[in-house]
Amino acid sequence: MSEPILKVNNLSKRYRLGAAEKGYKTFREAVVEGITAPIKNWGKLRRLTNFQNGNEEEDVLWALKDVSFEVAEGEVLGIIGRNGAGKSTILKILSRITEPSAGLVEMHGRVSSLLEVGTGFHPELTGRENIFLNGAILGMRKREIERKFDEIVAFSEIEKFLDTPVKRYSSGMYVRLAFAVAAHLEPEILLIDEVLAVGDIAFQKKCLGKMGEVAHEGRTVLFISHNMGAIRSLCSRAIWISGGKLVKNGGVDEVIRGYEEQQLGNVDDLSCVLNRNPLQIENQSFYFSRVMISDTENNNTNLFKYDDRIVLVCDFNGDPGDSFSPEFRIYNETHQLIATGASAAFHSKYFDRKVRQVKIVIGPLPLTSGKYHISLSVMVNYDRRDTWENAVCFTISECQPFARSWNIESHTDGVCVIKHTFSELAN
Amino acid sequence: MEKVTVPPVAAKPSLVIKPRKGWQVINFRELYDYRDLFYFLIVRDIKVRYKQTVLGGLWAIIQPLFMMIVFTLFFGRLAGVSSDGVPYPIFNYSAMVAWTYFSNAITSSSNSLIQESNLISKVYFPRLLAPLAPVVAFLLDFVVSFIILIAMMLYYGIHPTIMTLTLPLLVVLMMLTASGVGMFLAALNAQYRDIRYTITFLVQLWMFASPVVYSVSLIPEKYRLIYALNPMAGVIEGFRSALLGTVAFPTQMLLVSTLVSVVMFVVGIFYFKRTERYFADVI
């Protein structure tokens, strides 16, 4: 094995959180506070950069704690973890924006970081001027930018607006130009934070394609993303950071599996077994008392993938007086009705008045990634006896219906997935 | 896509990142490597300054010119302040040219890190470039307002003395002082925003501590060298003496001023380097 191009050794970083502000109770307190505030403020501001070693202080947050890993030359390493896990802190230290509190990093080669697209863009300057400014900010020399100028412009697709101030650009144009500059960096080590979460889908794909190209050119890339599809398709190895610590370091599939399993395990039981709020059922003779959401193997969960089945188990209370028939409605995040189901109306299925539990299996779900909620109601003799709005929520965490799609990420466009084919016709 | 030919790892420049403590050395090599960025930051400052204004670059003249008119009315006419034998307007304007540059440069420089906070927290570059760029960028305004000074000299028929040749040195001294103050205050400002509010009246007080509206001859001889501890006193007096020939060239004062200015620059740059490692965390 060759010498690693990047070596991270016991890297730690601490931040001081601002102390909570107190509210004043009386006028006197407010006045006293006002007078003594400068002294306190001074102490507080000074403490931002002063840390005591040894004894732990309570308002100190270790954003990273003893993280060590190595990256071989030409390797593309994915960094995954939840928000606030410390992923970006790693890249900030590696790109020398901030300094570690402890530990050591050794790197060989030119490093460029892309923590945000369009850093340093000035709204008043034209596209042309911003290409040069942004390029220089990202560490390119003027000659280098001049050499790549035409390529950058072509990639960004904004030729016509090159001499327009970027403040007049649409956000899409802005992002395209910004990414175009960044995409033409030629460092040996490239650090990228989730910058693909911008622009329209088509442009995201273009960016991802460009990144794949960069990765295959033999550059070393460290790539943060929440998009497991992108990580899978770009990276060979991944590290998983949680709470500032390195949890797992290994092959990309293995690490992602571990991460996803833990994410699923984190599902709150409370959100899978839902008891009815007593206030909603006052004076009702027959009603939903509880609903449970699980997968087909009876594991309580509200995280599903495209094509999964949802199992709802509804408990009823009271006496309907006659046979009854439940119904459900699925809404998306924007409260758009996606689908409905009804036992009587659709299936001529009625339940005996003595039945206390009904199981509903919904699926396979043709839904795109996103959050959904289900409302339940129950009919007795054409009369809607009880409606439980937003009874239960679920999330489609992954939607990759097409085997050979670009793996950009879960499909989020549209409300559902319709299978289709393309083929050419001979004329 | 062609493969990039990558030299063996050992041959590449290596970089070690670890916690630093105390005073830092200045990496001139790196500053030189980033000269293109410095150039673009200066160009941006200049291009952006008068964008979407009607008068554009004229603002560079309006500021010192109107100040001069106001001061001429109040100090020259009403208070009758002595102007060393030249008309008060040109007496004042010759100082105003330098003073306007200096006050703009230190204000802009002190606020530079906050202004660029987005850059500081998202990308690496030698932080020193941020406070230094405005110090250079305002030179353009200085040159423009200087042209008016030349016009006024022609109008009043005042011939510059041979000491005008020292002008570039005076400009360097003025820039050196502005950089020192700018770097120091910018670094403080990153952590203590009080500086932002302090700067406004610091500039005002400093102006009255410098011979802008009055003449150095008001200061008793024996206190002159103490007075010259303010580097701008030396610079402005140098300007007047060289261009207007009002008094003998203040060599002694300038020596003191230069010394103080160099000290300010050194203190500024080292304080900046010492504190820059946590800019991104506190800004």
Side-chain angles (χ1 to χ4, degrees):
Chain A
M1 165 129 185
S2 64
E3 178 85 354
I5 194 167
L6 173 74
K7 228 189 213 157
V8 174
N9 243 329
N10 291 320
L11 203 63
S12 298
K13 172 77 187 177
R14 66 188 152 190
Y15 285 104
R16 192 181 291 280
L17 307 168
E21 302 277 335
K22 278 189 312 197
Y24 322 118
K25 287 200 191 70
T26 63
F27 178 68
R28 209 181 78 101
E29 262 179 87
V31 171
V32 172
E33 183 71 15
I35 293 165
T36 57
I39 299 160
K40 265 199 255 164
N41 287 344
W42 189 63
K44 217 162 77 181
L45 290 175
R46 245 170 67 91
R47 268 160 52 90
L48 281 175
T49 54
N50 275 335
F51 292 95
Q52 283 162 13
N53 279 322
N55 57 327
E56 287 294 312
E57 296 162 89
E58 56 178 31
D59 60 340
V60 167
L61 171 83
W62 286 90
L64 278 185
K65 188 82 180 154
D66 296 330
V67 171
S68 306
F69 61 91
E70 289 183 357
V71 186
E73 195 167 0
E75 196 172 21
V76 183
L77 178 79
I79 304 178
I80 60 177
R82 300 174 65 154
N83 284 331
K87 305 184 296 292
S88 299
T89 308
I90 293 182
L91 291 201
K92 278 196 171 180
I93 293 171
L94 296 186
S95 53
R96 289 191 289 164
I97 291 165
T98 183
E99 193 166 82
S101 308
L104 187 76
V105 179
E106 272 179 76
M107 288 194 272
H108 305 277
R110 195 174 137 184
V111 185
S112 280
S113 62
L114 195 52
L115 304 192
E116 181 191 70
V117 289
T119 307
F121 261 42
H122 199 289
E124 298 282 355
L125 296 179
T126 66
R128 183 190 303 277
E129 289 164 337
N130 267 309
I131 290 177
F132 280 96
L133 178 62
N134 189 235
I137 285 170
L138 293 174
M140 278 193 254
R141 301 294 315 277
K142 189 171 175 233
R143 260 202 328 264
E144 201 179 335
I145 306 169
E146 277 162 359
R147 188 155 46 80
K148 293 179 187 158
F149 188 82
D150 294 335
E151 230 180 295
I152 292 175
V153 174
F155 188 87
S156 67
E157 306 164 11
I158 55 131
E159 293 89 340
K160 271 193 284 180
F161 306 98
L162 213 46
D163 293 307
T164 310
V166 299
K167 65 177 176 181
R168 311 231 186 279
Y169 280 25
S170 74
S171 55
M173 287 159 64
Y174 184 92
V175 165
R176 283 213 298 278
L177 180 64
F179 191 85
V181 180
H184 289 82
L185 283 170
E186 281 180 357
E188 273 115 14
I189 305 173
L190 183 60
L191 312 171
I192 307 176
D193 203 342
E194 190 115 67
V195 287
L196 293 174
V198 290
D200 55 24
I201 298 282
F203 190 71
Q204 279 187 22
K205 294 194 173 158
K206 190 168 170 183
C207 296
L208 207 76
K210 181 78 191 173
M211 278 180 48
E213 229 172 72
V214 169
H216 292 124
E217 274 170 30
R219 285 184 217 292
T220 311
V221 183
L222 271 72
F223 177 48
I224 291 184
S225 183
H226 289 284
N227 177 346
M228 296 304 140
I231 297 260
R232 264 203 194 93
S233 65
L234 287 175
C235 310
S236 50
R237 208 159 61 85
I239 58 174
W240 166 19
I241 306 286
S242 175
K245 296 197 176 82
L246 190 117
V247 181
K248 213 169 177 134
N249 178 353
V252 65
D253 289 317
E254 181 197 340
V255 174
I256 289 184
R257 203 176 323 119
Y259 172 67
E260 282 183 335
E261 270 165 22
Q262 194 253 5
Q263 291 290 90
L264 291 175
N266 262 353
V267 170
D268 202 344
D269 267 356
L270 290 174
S271 58
C272 298
V273 179
L274 296 120
N275 289 303
R276 195 73 182 277
N277 179 353
L279 291 174
Q280 291 180 350
I281 45 177
E282 267 181 306
N283 307 323
Q284 294 216 50
S285 58
F286 185 63
Y287 55 87
F288 289 96
S289 59
R290 192 175 75 147
V291 63
M292 255 183 338
I293 182 167
S294 59
D295 60 19
T296 45
E297 272 126 45
N298 278 330
N299 301 312
N300 281 352
T301 181
N302 50 18
L303 280 176
F304 296 91
K305 291 181 178 153
Y306 165 81
D307 229 24
D308 277 356
R309 285 183 168 83
I310 292 180
V311 176
L312 294 180
V313 174
C314 309
D315 289 15
F316 295 92
N317 247 348
D319 184 5
D322 202 344
S323 61
F324 67 92
S325 59
E327 297 181 346
F328 69 85
R329 293 181 305 284
I330 300 178
Y331 296 91
N332 68 5
E333 256 180 311
T334 54
H335 295 283
Q336 198 178 356
L337 181 61
I338 305 299
T340 63
S343 69
F346 297 179
H347 308 283
S348 298
K349 167 111 184 135
Y350 299 89
F351 293 89
D352 186 87
R353 57 188 281 193
K354 298 223 171 56
V355 171
R356 279 289 163 269
Q357 242 184 1
V358 172
K359 176 174 163 183
I360 310 173
V361 180
I362 308 170
L365 299 166
L367 300 174
T368 52
S369 298
K371 286 199 165 77
Y372 298 87
H373 51 264
I374 302 177
S375 294
L376 298 166
S377 43
V378 59
M379 308 288 287
V380 180
N381 292 330
Y382 307 108
D383 171 32
R384 185 162 287 164
R385 199 58 75 80
D386 181 30
T387 296
W388 185 0
E389 297 285 3
N390 302 334
V392 59
C393 307
F394 68 93
T395 301
I396 298 288
S397 59
E398 207 182 302
C399 174
Q400 285 176 341
F402 307 108
R404 306 194 57 183
S405 74
W406 284 358
N407 257 354
I408 293 307
E409 67 174 323
S410 277
H411 288 237
T412 51
D413 278 7
V415 290
C416 68
V417 176
I418 298 178
K419 295 264 174 123
H420 53 265
T421 57
F422 290 86
S423 53
E424 57 190 28
L425 291 178
N427 357 332
Chain B
M1 201 73 197
E2 62 184 300
K3 278 263 180 195
V4 178
T5 45
V6 272
V9 166
K12 288 179 196 158
S14 56
L15 175 72
V16 174
I17 301 171
K18 59 180 180 200
R20 289 175 295 178
K21 261 207 150 69
W23 302 106
Q24 302 300 320
V25 291
I26 295 146
N27 189 343
F28 291 103
R29 167 87 226 169
E30 187 188 57
L31 286 176
Y32 182 74
D33 283 345
Y34 273 90
R35 61 192 181 278
D36 284 351
L37 175 60
F38 191 49
Y39 166 79
F40 283 119
L41 286 177
I42 293 165
V43 169
R44 178 201 61 182
D45 273 5
I46 291 170
K47 279 186 174 161
V48 165
R49 195 173 307 141
Y50 301 116
K51 272 269 162 84
Q52 210 167 344
T53 60
V54 174
L55 296 177
L58 280 179
W59 281 108
I61 306 168
I62 291 168
Q63 198 191 347
L65 205 61
F66 274 73
M67 290 295 273
M68 178 271 282
I69 292 170
V70 170
F71 286 142
T72 302
L73 275 174
F74 285 90
F75 293 95
R77 291 283 156 81
L78 295 177
V81 171
S82 141
S83 54
D84 293 343
V86 291
Y88 191 86
I90 195 164
F91 168 83
N92 182 259
Y93 191 77
S94 59
M96 220 55 215
V97 167
W99 181 256
T100 307
Y101 164 80
F102 183 72
S103 65
N104 282 336
I106 62 169
T107 307
S108 193
S109 183
S110 308
N111 288 321
S112 61
L113 289 177
I114 298 174
Q115 206 86 48
E116 313 281 15
S117 65
N118 188 39
L119 271 192
I120 305 274
S121 59
K122 292 290 182 198
V123 74
Y124 176 80
F125 62 95
R127 303 321 193 192
L128 270 174
L129 301 185
L132 292 181
V135 171
V136 178
F138 273 106
L139 270 186
L140 186 70
D141 288 35
F142 172 76
V143 170
V144 172
S145 57
F146 198 86
I147 293 169
I148 300 297
L149 181 61
I150 294 171
M152 283 174 76
M153 285 167 69
L154 290 173
Y155 175 80
Y156 286 110
I158 294 170
H159 302 290
T161 69
I162 183 73
M163 292 317 275
T164 303
L165 293 176
T166 63
L167 223 53
L169 288 176
L170 293 174
V171 170
V172 168
L173 184 59
M174 173 173 91
M175 289 173 72
L176 198 71
T177 314
S179 315
V181 175
M183 288 183 294
F184 183 74
L185 292 181
L188 266 180
N189 207 357
Q191 191 167 5
Y192 306 101
R193 288 298 141 81
D194 305 60
I195 300 305
R196 198 180 196 159
Y197 307 106
T198 314
I199 205 84
T200 327
F201 66 80
L202 174 80
V203 165
Q204 273 166 16
L205 288 182
W206 200 329
M207 187 184 85
F208 287 103
S210 311
V212 177
V213 295
Y214 57 87
S215 158
V216 175
S217 45
L218 277 181
I219 311 287
E221 239 359 293
K222 55 182 176 175
Y223 296 129
R224 291 268 168 87
L225 291 185
I226 296 172
Y227 184 67
L229 288 176
N230 167 11
M232 284 311 285
V235 170
I236 290 172
E237 197 56 12
F239 261 73
R240 273 200 190 123
S241 163
L243 291 167
L244 312 179
T246 48
V247 285
F249 196 71
T251 316
Q252 274 189 329
M253 264 181 87
L254 272 168
L255 284 176
V256 175
S257 291
T258 307
L259 196 71
V260 174
S261 175
V262 169
V263 170
M264 279 177 153
F265 184 83
V266 170
V267 169
I269 199 165
F270 279 100
Y271 181 74
F272 190 93
K273 287 300 286 181
R274 190 189 159 96
T275 52
E276 73 173 350
R277 65 201 165 89
Y278 57 69
F279 285 164
D281 298 344
V282 297
I283 209 154

